[in-house]
């Protein structure tokens, strides 16, 4: 769905790799988590609590909240507003957040 | 608790950066906060990082690169800058509650400049909640911020300046399979032309030239364009795979890998509404606008709105509105004399006016189709709670009086986005059903927290107090 304008600007051989559901996802320094996941072809990012319909980032600027994921154990994080960091653990959200 | 500042500027796009620089250069103790990790807003997003990137700069063009000068001016000023910082509650007395890095803080200022800009108008069409449907602005943000361009078959559906600009940028970026569904209504042309005489003044001709050269570039490169597109429908089960639509008398269906929608931009109302700033319906821009005086002060003393948040004017004009806010504040704080205020105000106003001559023409030419403003029964209006237009019409027919009752009846607007994506459509549907004006219909009552805050984050504030 997406490709880098400069090929090779994100690769698994560099240090910039995060973990999505157990798979390594490379990113370019400065990427948001949402951009890194879309670049890796990840879709959907969540299923809604209301009707379990699949959702993926829509606005990429913090308005729509469709890009919610779990980041390093914290649920309901706006992945378009969060910068990707090496070693981040990202998980898909299924339905409502759980009480912990 | 931190000490009292002269001004807090919320948002570091062209309006906020100009306001902050002007305030700070004039001796006002100024703080800028922005949700993004770097200055520029959406229009100049990642402009600093991209300044030495030749391939992206070539794609994004010189108007984008010009933003770097404004960022540099703000950085050179004494304004304190805090990024990756959200304002989740703002009070009329100048209190701003922020959240950054899991910590909550309460800040206080004599005056506020809200420069939170615009959002893309919601485009409620069948299938718009499917993965693989995004906004044109979202794709442009990915290009600026991550150097990512779409691959496979890209369909752009919509109209307006950003629509054609991004289509041209796609070609520069190497997008090879691009189809444009131009939704602009042909019937808009005649009423729009009435505003063309005004557009020959100021910077109007420059904007028109840019528009024509974008259109010419698309034609020259042989981009497939369907004009007068209506009845747009996105199809797919797990993700978007096709779009069907009507173009003239033909009904068509095309396969796609990614589709982006765009029907212009509207002010982000959330902050101004939550403070209680009075709004009024604007027929030309088909949205609610905050009521502002000539120096862009809202109905609440000391609260100013700079940039597109006060009505859509574009990036260049937004910068000048930021200057106007800042000058009004500097005068109130006795930092500039009456004569200096008068002369600088005249300069800023004149510069602003020169950018506004084109606006009535653009607003009329790209007025969204009725079907986008008041969608059909089957269309999801509230994405978060999956509420369709039919359900909203049903409760209105059963006597529901306004947007806040719709909220209570249906949970419409009560999901994670807090009504940002459905608010304009819900008000429009109610107004149409009841026959009331948009002003009489009103809008959601917006309350803090404007962004999610956890109990743990709230508690962090009291550890420090």
């Amino acid at each position: 769905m997406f490709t880098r304008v400069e090929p090779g600007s994100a690769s698994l051989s560099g240090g910039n790799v995060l973990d999505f559901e157990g798979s390594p996802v490379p990113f370019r320094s400065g990427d948001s988590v949402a951009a890194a996941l879309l670049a890796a072809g990840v879709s959907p990012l969540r299923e809604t609590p209301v009707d379990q319909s699949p959702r993926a980032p829509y606005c990429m600027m913090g308005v729509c909240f469709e890009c919610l994921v779990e980041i390093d154990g914290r649920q309901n994080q706006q992945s378009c507003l969060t910068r990707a960091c090496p070693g981040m653990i990202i998980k898909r959200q299924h339905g409502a957040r759980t009480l912990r | 608790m931190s000490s009292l500042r002269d001004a807090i500027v919320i948002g570091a796009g062209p309006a906020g950066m100009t306001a902050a620089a002007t305030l700070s250069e004039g001796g006002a103790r100024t703080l800028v906060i922005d949700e993004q990790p770097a200055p520029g807003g959406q229009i100049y997003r990642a402009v600093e990082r991209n300044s030495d990137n030749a391939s992206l700069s070539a794609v994004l063009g010189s108007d984008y690169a010009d933003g770097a000068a404004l960022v540099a001016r703000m950085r050179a000023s004494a304004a304190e800058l805090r990024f990756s910082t959200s304002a989740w509650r703002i009070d009329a007395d100048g209190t701003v509650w922020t959240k950054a890095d899991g910590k909550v803080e309460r800040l206080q200022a004599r005056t506020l400049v809200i420069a939170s800009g615009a959002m893309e108008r919601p485009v409620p069409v069948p299938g718009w909640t499917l993965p693989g449907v995004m906004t044109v602005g979202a794709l442009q943000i990915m290009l600026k911020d991550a150097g990512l361009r779409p691959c496979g078959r890209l369909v752009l559906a919509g109209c307006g300046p950003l629509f054609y600009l991004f289509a041209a940028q796609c070609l520069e970026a190497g997008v090879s399979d691009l189809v444009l569904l131009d939704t602009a209504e042909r019937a808009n042309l005649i009423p729009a032309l009435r505003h063309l005489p005004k557009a020959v003044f100021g910077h109007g001709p420059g904007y028109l030239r840019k528009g024509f050269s974008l259109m010419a570039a698309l034609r020259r490169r042989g981009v497939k364009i369907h004009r007068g597109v209506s009845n747009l429908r996105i199809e797919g089960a797990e993700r978007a795979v096709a779009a069907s639509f009507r173009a003239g008398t033909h009904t068509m269906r095309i396969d796609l890998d990614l589709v982006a929608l765009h029907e212009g931009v509207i002010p982000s109302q959330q902050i101004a509404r939550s403070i209680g700033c009075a709004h009024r319906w604007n027929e030309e821009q088909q949205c609610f606008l905050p009521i502002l005086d000539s120096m862009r002060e809202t109905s609440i003393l000391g609260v100013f709105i700079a940039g597109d948040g006060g009505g859509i004017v574009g990036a260049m004009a937004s910068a000048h509105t930021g200057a106007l806010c800042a000058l009004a504040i500097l005068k109130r704080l006795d930092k500039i004399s009456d004569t200096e205020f008068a002369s600088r105000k005249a300069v800023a106003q004149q510069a602003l006016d020169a950018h506004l001559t084109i606006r009535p023409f653009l607003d009329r030419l790209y007025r969204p189709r009725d079907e986008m403003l008041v969608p059909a029964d089957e269309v999801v209006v509230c994405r978060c709670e999956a509420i369709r237009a039919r359900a909203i019409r049903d409760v209105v027919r059963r006597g529901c009086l306004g947007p806040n009752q719709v909220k209570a009846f249906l949970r419409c607007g009560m999901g994670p986005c807090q009504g940002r994506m459905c608010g304009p459509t819900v008000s429009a549907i109610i107004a149409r059903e009841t026959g009331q004006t948009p002003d009489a219909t009103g809008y959601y009552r917006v309350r803090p927290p404007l962004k999610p805050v956890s109990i743990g984050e709230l508690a962090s504030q009291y550890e420090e107090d």
Side-chain angles (χ1 to χ4, degrees), chain B residues 78-119:
Chain B
E80 183 192 346
L81 312 179
R82 293 191 189 178
F83 298 107
S84 299
T85 302
S86 309
W88 57 270
R89 174 175 162 179
I90 299 161
D91 297 336
D93 67 355
T95 310
V96 178
W97 300 71
T98 63
K99 181 182 97 161
D101 206 16
K103 281 250 163 66
V104 159
E105 203 173 333
R106 185 173 61 195
L107 308 165
Q108 189 79 39
R110 291 189 171 86
T111 59
L112 298 177
V113 179
I114 302 166
S116 51
M119 59 176 269

Side-chain angles (χ1 to χ4, degrees), chain A residues 1-6 28-29 31 35 38 43 50-51 54-55 57-59 61-63 65-66 78 81 83, chain B residues 36-37 53 55 118 128-129 131 133-135 138 145-151 239 383-384 386 417 420-421 451:
Chain A
M1 212 164 40
F2 291 95
T3 185
R4 302 279 173 180
V5 173
E6 303 152 285
R28 195 184 78 150
S29 178
D31 280 1
L38 286 170
S43 176
V50 182
D51 61 359
R55 299 293 171 90
Y58 177 75
C59 79
M61 56 180 279
V63 178
F65 287 70
E66 296 289 13
Q78 288 183 277
L81 292 178
R83 266 198 177 169
Chain B
Q36 295 295 333
N53 185 324
S55 49
W128 73 309
T129 59
V133 184
M134 299 178 75
T135 68
D145 209 42
L148 284 167
R149 69 158 172 85
C151 54
R239 55 172 299 110
R383 299 171 59 104
C384 299
C417 93
R420 288 169 171 89
M421 296 300 295
K451 286 280 171 166

Side-chain angles (χ1 to χ4, degrees), chain B residues 67-357:
Chain B
L70 197 44
V71 176
R73 181 183 161 204
M74 179 181 70
R75 288 218 186 262
S77 78
E80 183 192 346
L81 312 179
R82 293 191 189 178
F83 298 107
S84 299
T85 302
S86 309
W88 57 270
R89 174 175 162 179
I90 299 161
D91 297 336
D93 67 355
T95 310
V96 178
W97 300 71
T98 63
K99 181 182 97 161
D101 206 16
K103 281 250 163 66
V104 159
E105 203 173 333
R106 185 173 61 195
L107 308 165
Q108 189 79 39
R110 291 189 171 86
T111 59
L112 298 177
V113 179
I114 302 166
S116 51
M119 59 176 269
E120 286 175 277
R121 184 189 295 278
V123 189
V125 295
W128 73 309
T129 59
L130 286 169
V133 184
M134 299 178 75
T135 68
V136 168
L139 297 191
Q140 198 195 37
I141 285 167
M142 292 181 69
L143 186 59
K144 290 171 180 170
D145 209 42
L148 284 167
R149 69 158 172 85
C151 54
R153 160 79 55 82
L154 170 65
V155 172
L156 303 181
C159 62
L162 177 63
F163 179 79
Y164 305 107
L165 171 65
F166 184 68
Q169 289 174 335
C170 280
L171 297 178
E172 289 299 319
V175 173
S176 55
D177 193 356
L178 175 65
V179 180
L180 300 188
L181 307 183
D182 188 327
T183 59
E185 214 159 357
R186 287 197 176 97
N188 285 348
L189 187 61
I190 301 296
L193 284 174
R194 284 194 297 116
H195 300 291
L196 200 55
K198 191 185 178 197
V200 304
F201 297 101
H203 298 297
Y207 285 111
L208 289 171
R209 259 197 307 277
K210 184 170 179 182
F212 283 124
S213 79
L214 288 174
M215 308 262 189
L218 295 173
R219 211 168 307 137
R220 201 169 51 240
R221 303 280 287 268
V223 175
K224 182 77 196 151
I225 307 180
H226 298 279
R227 295 185 196 278
V229 167
S230 65
N231 295 63
L232 177 65
R233 168 186 295 273
I234 316 292
E235 298 173 6
E238 285 302 299
R239 55 172 299 110
V241 296
S244 67
F245 56 92
R246 208 156 71 199
T249 53
H250 304 280
T251 301
M252 302 183 71
R253 184 178 183 281
I254 49 173
D255 293 335
L256 54 86
D257 295 296
L258 182 68
V259 53
L261 311 172
H262 182 77
E263 295 289 336
V265 296
I266 57 174
S268 293
Q269 303 175 62
Q270 218 72 358
I271 292 176
R273 290 264 182 199
S274 75
I275 307 177
C277 299
H279 284 65
R280 190 183 290 144
W281 179 256
N282 183 286
E283 192 59 26
E284 289 71 36
Q285 300 201 336
Q286 289 287 306
C287 58
F288 286 103
L289 303 183
I291 297 173
L292 304 177
D293 72 8
S294 63
M295 296 309 290
R296 304 189 63 89
E297 193 162 11
T298 66
S299 60
I300 294 171
L301 188 72
V303 177
F304 295 75
I305 298 184
D308 278 344
I312 303 307
V313 292
M316 305 291 281
S318 287
H320 298 302
T321 66
L324 285 176
C325 295
L327 291 170
I329 293 169
L330 289 174
K331 177 163 169 271
R332 192 162 300 168
L333 299 172
D334 277 329
K335 304 274 187 194
I336 52 173
S337 67
D338 287 353
T339 47
E340 186 185 354
F341 169 76
S343 68
R344 290 178 66 186
K345 180 199 161 185
V347 170
Q349 187 66 54
Q350 199 179 4
L352 170 61
D353 290 344
H355 285 285
L356 298 183
T357 56

Side-chain angles (χ1 to χ4, degrees), chain A residues 42-60:
Chain A
V42 171
S43 176
L45 291 202
R46 69 181 187 113
E47 286 142 16
T48 69
V50 182
D51 61 359
Q52 283 71 51
S53 62
R55 299 293 171 90
Y58 177 75
C59 79
M60 293 299 283

Side-chain angles (χ1 to χ4, degrees), chain B residues 3 85 116 128 289 344 368 380 383 391 397 415 426 430 463 465:
Chain B
S3 57
T85 302
S116 51
W128 73 309
L289 303 183
R344 290 178 66 186
V380 170
R383 299 171 59 104
R397 281 171 197 150
V426 167
I430 298 172
E463 284 165 21
D465 263 12

